[in-house]
Amino acid sequence: MIKEKVQVNLMDREQFLEWLRIYRHDLMNDLQIVQGYASMGKHDKSTEKVNALIERLKQERLLQTLNCDAFVYWLLSTSLTEHDLNLTFSVDTPLTDVSALDELLTHDGQMIVEQLEAVVNEWTDVSMHVSIEGENALSIHYDLDLPKNDQQSLLNKVCFQGVWEHTEQHDHNLLLTIQYKESD
């Protein structure tokens, strides 16, 4: 029993350290770009990149204040490890404890990524922005840059545990909005 627990912890440590390495690498790339712009005297570009980096770190902090560990874990780990999917997110909600929704949010996010992998033939240019919003209920907007021919295939396969509230389809963009309430 103890040996098994040590083995799991070792894998958790290895995974954590790998993700930390990836995160640090991405952060260093961003800082080197800032430094490059500054060294060329392109202070507007340098300031723009610093502001974008500050905003990204702010969004990561806001995500972690939602108190839904499985969803936060899934979103952050997917954004670090799914290199073929450009995954970004934003948080705009005063809610700070959506722990009762954690399982639902995680399931639905995983479902979208799994079904994307099943229907998308060419991963180049596929990106997804996850917007987390709401005052009384939580709305998650999945904004996908996805070719029109893959959109319907995805819509036919996904099944959400939250309430599928809204869908918008455009030539290279699909927006899915799912709402969650504590009683869901």
Side-chain angles (χ1 to χ4, degrees), residues 99-112:
S99 56
L101 303 172
D102 196 12
E103 204 174 295
L104 301 174
L105 297 171
T106 305
H107 170 272
D108 289 351
Q110 288 173 334
M111 173 67 66
I112 289 175

Side-chain angles (χ1 to χ4, degrees), residues 57-86:
L57 294 171
K58 175 185 165 194
Q59 291 302 314
E60 289 174 3
R61 180 183 52 79
L62 290 172
L63 179 66
Q64 291 176 330
T65 65
L66 294 175
N67 193 24
C68 54
D69 294 345
F71 180 68
V72 170
Y73 175 83
W74 169 79
L75 192 56
L76 291 174
S77 64
T78 302
S79 70
L80 284 174
T81 59
E82 291 292 333
H83 300 290
D84 293 334
L85 174 65
N86 178 22

